[in-house]
Amino acid sequence: MPAGVMIPARNMPSMITGNGSVSGYGTSSGLALGQPNNMMEGQLHPLEMTQNASESEIARMRDEEFDSTNKSGSENHELGGSGDDQDPRPNKKKRYHRHTQHQIQEMEAFFKECPHPDDKQRKELGRELGLEPLQVKFWFQNKRTQMKTQHERHENTQLRTEIEKLRADNMRYREALSTASCPNCGGPTAVGQMSFDEHHLRLENSRLREEIDRISAIAAKYVGKPVVNFPLLSSPALPRPFDFGSQPVTEEMYGVGDLLRSISAPSEADKPMIIELAVAAMEELVRMVQMGEPLWMTSLDGTTCMLNEEEYIRTFPSGIGPKPTGFKCEASKETTVVIMNHINLVEILMDVNQWSTVFSGIISKASTLDVLSTGVAGNYNGALQVMTAEFQVLSPLVPTRESYYVRYCKQHAEGTWAVVDVSLDTIRPSPTVRCRRRPSGCIIQEMPNGYSKVTWVEHVEVDDGGVHNLYKQLVSSGHAFGARRWVSTLDRQCERLASLMASNIPTGDVGVITNQDGRKSMLKLAERMVISFCGGVSASTAHTWTTLSGTGADDVRVMTRKSVDDPGRPPGIVLSAATSFWLPVSPKRVFDFLRDEHSRSEWDILSNGGAVQEMAHIANGRDPGNCVSLLRVNSANSSQSNMLILQESCTDPTASFVIYAPVDIVAMNVVLNGGDPDYVALLPSGFAILPDGMTVTDAGMADSGGSSGSLLTVAFQILVDSVPTAKLSLGSVATVNNLIACTVERIKASLSCDNA
């Protein structure tokens, strides 16, 4: 019930005292029921009640009066004197006491401290103010409704203002770009004289025209509509929506796996088929985990279980259909023991937010489209979710893999759970599918002392034609997306979560953070930094990379975005730049070199050669390389003397990362004392280090560690302008290009790779 409304009880005696007044009544501030054009804020309806009236009776009568009030807004009254239930004149207006100013002030003050008082607090407050507990309860309900409405009204006003501002900016940009011309010849602006944004729009416009022609041809084939010849766009104009049948297709729809379909929740007719498919997938997963040879064969290097495709077809003749033409099969199985309770593991896998956070290095984006079942008995046994996810390698040279699938969770025995995924593309066929998930997932078994045994099966069919030659071997070997990648990441993240909860922190080492609140805040900040870095490096469909120079693997790719009203990022124009290249040294050697603060001055140009000192660190894994550090740059430049760097380094057998971001010293002091880290502005940069996928024999060369080469991705995020509406110049892009190129050359030189 909105605040400020007091409703009369019916067929109840009034509470008239000896002096003719009505006891136990008052008013409150807030919104009033009734028609909007007849009711001003603060107008109230009367409420009569006896002291022995039950709360359920009052609630029923409030509902009845709410209906009658909505039918006639003319019955709103100003509260005044005593009641008239016993008055023989039926047309006399009801007038009752208002809450006193003192009562309102006291309840307002109490509301600021506790907007949800319990029964005891309501009784105490009513006793102090001379009010019934129900009156206090209704006043607080009304007040909460009033505050919620005011908050929503304020948010709507802000959104309208922002929309108008964006619309005005859009029109201004369209007008400026449409009239751009060369000052010398009066023709279209030359590339060297236009801004980076305008140059990028020209390239994007050309790509969109080609994409639209291809989509139109597909539409004519599958939808039965004629091919539409779209006119050329005016070269400097912003991309605008096109007519695609009755569906408006805008530039945001383009991307891997997004063409010709807008993925949505399944229809009611699809759900029985989805359930049947999920049950069959669960049975297949359990059998694949239990079976050995000849279904599973050990790889040549003895490190991976690979699938025998012919045996698989004989063993599982049904399923989601034959492998599409041109697709390759990637299937692997891996087992590990992790330091986490089996129930917590199941919760991570069934919660899309936790799942995408734990596996942020593999998942670029994910969402739950529909929940067909939440499970039984208060857990995830029997839970069914329709999901979509995009899987990535942290390099702009490897296209992401988008999948539309159902996830099914089932408890098979006490302490044994299974979670399986299977693609739904057979239910909703699409000509643009480039990745299909056959039954994939894991079996989780409870072990003593809070540990769990995890057996993971990853089985996909994929069109990997877009993978750069530099990453072909890594992807085809299964190390990029295979089961070993998943279990290695899970093992490392479980160690990280265990360190977060640890209370027996050794105090002997210098720089170790022992304050529990400070550890949690710093680890939470580092986690956000890692997620931000991983979300902005791959060739995700959410990104639009632009190649700056040449056609080789060492090309630098850039993209821009505007940061506005994000407390976790500095406001302005952010330029992201990334490049990937091969190094003939082991991933471990590259990782140790990049994470070591003593060798940082050899590659970090922005440190200006100053010495780097570790001020504090938190170990978060068995490997000494898994830690979060706070570094200080002792530069001769006075403007950088107080510069701090937050760095997280993490490694496992399949991938290593060194991710860092400059941080404000005042903000870090707040974090180290247990303060909220969400408002610390970060622009993370760093390195993703992957094995090249070749064995020592394949590579023909190796370092002293017996490993082959490494694939290194270098990614920077630079704030090039603190004004979000400013235009990005090609000069800024050139500066960042030179910065990343110099960093690459320094890394190669330091690792004795000058001729690479």
Side-chain angles (χ1 to χ4, degrees):
M1 182 179 74
V5 177
M6 306 190 70
I7 300 177
R10 300 199 176 173
N11 302 322
M12 297 177 63
S14 62
M15 298 175 60
I16 303 178
T17 60
N19 58 6
S21 64
V22 180
S23 62
Y25 294 95
T27 67
S28 64
S29 60
L31 300 179
L33 288 175
Q35 298 176 354
N37 59 339
N38 294 337
M39 180 67 71
M40 297 297 293
E41 185 170 339
Q43 289 182 312
L44 309 171
H45 281 283
L47 170 67
E48 284 189 346
M49 70 180 97
T50 58
Q51 293 183 350
N52 59 354
S54 67
E55 184 171 340
S56 62
E57 291 172 337
I58 297 299
R60 175 178 57 79
M61 290 182 286
R62 290 168 62 233
D63 292 339
E64 293 174 354
E65 189 61 17
F66 180 88
D67 294 336
S68 64
T69 304
N70 281 338
K71 294 177 182 177
S72 175
S74 63
E75 294 179 7
N76 299 314
H77 307 297
E78 183 69 31
L79 299 185
S82 60
D84 65 345
D85 279 7
Q86 300 175 359
D87 197 306
R89 293 169 295 176
N91 295 326
K92 182 179 178 181
K93 291 185 178 180
K94 300 178 181 181
R95 304 176 61 85
Y96 299 104
H97 280 305
R98 301 172 62 92
H99 286 323
T100 66
Q101 190 65 26
H102 170 71
Q103 289 171 336
I104 295 175
Q105 289 176 351
E106 289 296 320
M107 287 191 287
E108 291 275 7
F110 195 91
F111 183 85
K112 293 179 180 179
E113 300 294 331
C114 178
H116 294 272
D118 54 26
D119 291 340
K120 183 178 178 181
Q121 291 172 316
R122 289 197 296 266
K123 290 179 181 179
E124 180 65 21
L125 186 59
R127 184 184 61 80
E128 293 177 359
L129 300 178
L131 298 174
E132 291 294 327
L134 279 179
Q135 291 179 279
V136 177
K137 178 180 179 180
F138 294 154
W139 188 92
F140 274 85
Q141 288 177 345
N142 298 342
K143 186 64 176 177
R144 289 193 295 269
T145 302
Q146 176 194 21
M147 297 302 292
K148 179 181 179 181
T149 304
Q150 290 177 347
H151 178 68
E152 291 175 348
R153 187 183 299 120
H154 178 67
E155 284 187 341
N156 290 339
T157 302
Q158 286 184 319
L159 289 174
R160 289 194 197 97
T161 303
E162 187 66 23
I163 290 172
E164 291 301 325
K165 179 181 176 182
L166 292 174
R167 184 177 290 114
D169 288 344
N170 190 18
M171 294 300 297
R172 181 164 55 87
Y173 292 152
R174 285 175 181 269
E175 182 179 356
L177 292 175
S178 62
T179 58
S181 61
C182 176
N184 297 324
C185 64
T189 307
V191 172
Q193 295 171 318
M194 67 177 66
S195 71
F196 177 78
D197 287 339
E198 294 165 348
H199 181 200
H200 178 68
L201 285 173
R202 287 177 182 268
L203 298 176
E204 184 72 4
N205 197 28
S206 176
R207 184 186 69 81
L208 290 178
R209 286 200 301 270
E210 296 175 358
E211 197 74 21
I212 291 166
D213 292 340
R214 188 165 70 88
I215 292 174
S216 301
I218 296 174
K221 179 179 179 181
Y222 287 93
V223 184
K225 295 185 179 181
V227 177
V228 180
N229 293 321
F230 292 95
L232 295 179
L233 293 177
S234 176
S235 59
L238 289 172
R240 60 179 183 266
F242 301 99
D243 290 332
F244 183 68
S246 60
Q247 171 93 18
V249 180
T250 60
E251 63 170 327
E252 288 77 15
M253 292 182 62
Y254 292 95
V256 177
D258 285 333
L259 299 177
L260 277 179
R261 64 192 177 101
S262 176
I263 297 178
S264 59
S267 65
E268 291 297 325
D270 291 337
K271 291 181 180 179
M273 292 184 289
I274 292 175
I275 295 173
E276 181 180 352
L277 188 63
V279 172
M282 177 64 72
E283 180 182 352
E284 179 176 320
L285 174 69
V286 173
R287 291 180 62 190
M288 291 184 71
V289 168
Q290 295 171 345
M291 297 176 70
E293 293 185 353
L295 181 65
W296 294 103
M297 302 179 299
T298 305
S299 60
L300 295 177
D301 58 5
T303 60
T304 309
C305 283
M306 308 299 291
L307 183 70
N308 183 337
E309 289 190 60
E310 294 181 357
E311 184 66 25
Y312 172 79
I313 295 173
R314 285 194 296 268
T315 307
F316 305 101
S318 60
I320 60 175
K323 181 173 63 177
T325 304
F327 278 40
K328 293 183 178 180
C329 173
E330 295 179 9
S332 55
K333 182 174 72 170
E334 197 76 23
T335 300
T336 192
V337 176
V338 299
I339 181 171
M340 181 173 286
N341 182 279
H342 63 292
I343 298 298
N344 293 338
L345 283 175
V346 171
E347 183 179 351
I348 287 175
L349 295 175
M350 298 305 295
D351 184 328
V352 68
N353 293 323
Q354 294 188 58
W355 179 61
S356 57
T357 296
V358 169
F359 296 101
S360 59
I362 307 176
I363 303 166
S364 58
K365 60 181 181 180
S367 63
T368 300
L369 301 179
D370 195 8
V371 178
L372 305 187
S373 172
T374 58
V376 296
N379 56 41
Y380 286 103
N381 185 22
L384 268 171
Q385 301 176 358
V386 177
M387 305 175 65
T388 180
E390 192 177 61
F391 306 102
Q392 66 178 354
V393 171
L394 293 187
S395 170
L397 301 182
V398 182
T400 54
R401 299 176 173 183
E402 190 174 58
S403 185
Y404 172 56
Y405 58 94
V406 61
R407 175 164 293 180
Y408 178 36
C409 178
K410 182 180 179 181
Q411 183 178 11
H412 286 272
E414 185 66 30
T416 301
W417 292 73
V419 178
V420 66
D421 298 343
V422 62
S423 281
L424 298 177
D425 301 300
T426 53
I427 295 177
R428 290 191 181 182
S430 170
T432 61
V433 171
R434 291 186 174 92
C435 177
R436 296 204 311 170
R437 289 181 70 77
R438 287 192 177 270
S440 304
C442 61
I443 304 292
I444 304 170
Q445 296 173 276
E446 181 183 15
M447 296 188 69
N449 302 320
Y451 284 77
S452 298
K453 179 182 178 182
V454 179
T455 303
W456 201 290
V457 171
E458 194 68 15
H459 188 188
V460 300
E461 294 168 342
V462 63
D463 175 10
D464 63 353
V467 178
H468 193 281
N469 289 334
L470 198 62
Y471 282 83
K472 282 278 189 183
Q473 184 63 34
L474 174 68
V475 173
S476 62
S477 68
H479 292 156
F481 296 98
R484 192 181 185 203
R485 179 85 181 92
W486 286 92
V487 299
S488 297
T489 302
L490 179 63
D491 186 26
R492 173 170 53 81
Q493 290 286 28
C494 288
E495 288 185 2
R496 192 183 195 279
L497 292 172
S499 69
L500 177 63
M501 306 304 296
S503 57
N504 54 341
I505 310 300
T507 58
D509 296 339
V510 178
V512 174
I513 301 176
T514 57
N515 178 7
Q516 190 70 11
D517 292 336
R519 286 172 58 86
K520 289 184 178 180
S521 294
M522 188 166 171
L523 285 173
K524 184 179 178 183
L525 180 61
E527 179 182 76
R528 176 161 65 87
M529 176 180 69
V530 171
I531 293 173
S532 176
F533 174 83
C534 293
V537 177
S538 69
S540 170
T541 58
H543 306 154
T544 303
W545 291 101
T546 300
T547 304
L548 290 185
S549 58
T551 58
D554 286 359
D555 293 340
V556 176
R557 289 161 171 79
V558 298
M559 67 175 174
T560 61
R561 67 173 178 273
K562 295 179 180 180
S563 176
V564 182
D565 296 333
D566 185 352
R569 294 180 182 272
I573 297 179
V574 177
L575 179 64
S576 299
T579 188
S580 299
F581 57 97
W582 180 75
L583 290 170
V585 293
S586 69
K588 184 179 187 308
R589 182 178 172 191
V590 178
F591 173 70
D592 290 339
F593 169 74
L594 293 174
R595 78 177 182 86
D596 188 359
E597 69 270 17
H598 301 297
S599 59
R600 188 182 189 94
S601 59
E602 297 182 33
W603 57 265
D604 190 357
I605 298 174
L606 299 180
S607 65
N608 290 328
V612 180
Q613 176 186 3
E614 184 180 69
M615 305 296 295
H617 74 272
I618 301 173
N620 58 9
R622 294 187 301 265
D623 192 295
N626 290 331
C627 68
V628 177
S629 305
L630 190 61
L631 309 177
R632 178 176 178 180
V633 180
N634 298 315
S635 174
N637 187 344
S638 59
S639 64
Q640 294 183 336
S641 59
N642 291 326
M643 178 181 176
L644 294 180
I645 297 174
L646 178 67
Q647 174 178 292
E648 173 154 1
S649 57
C650 48
T651 183
D652 62 54
T654 61
S656 302
F657 308 99
V658 178
I659 302 168
Y660 63 91
V663 289
D664 180 66
I665 188 170
V666 176
M668 282 309 302
N669 281 330
V670 174
V671 171
L672 292 175
N673 288 321
D676 186 1
D678 290 341
Y679 295 94
V680 178
L682 292 174
L683 276 182
S685 301
F687 308 92
I689 309 156
L690 302 173
D692 59 9
M694 293 186 288
T695 62
V696 175
T697 304
D698 295 332
M701 61 189 307
D703 67 354
S704 58
S707 301
S708 57
S710 305
L711 297 173
L712 178 62
T713 296
V714 183
F716 288 160
Q717 291 191 81
I718 307 293
L719 184 69
V720 295
D721 200 310
S722 59
V723 180
T725 57
K727 285 190 175 182
L728 179 64
S729 66
L730 289 177
S732 299
V733 178
T735 300
V736 175
N737 186 19
N738 292 334
L739 173 64
I740 201 169
C742 291
T743 302
V744 170
E745 291 304 317
R746 287 193 175 195
I747 292 173
K748 289 181 177 180
S750 298
L751 293 172
S752 302
C753 304
D754 306 75
N755 58 347

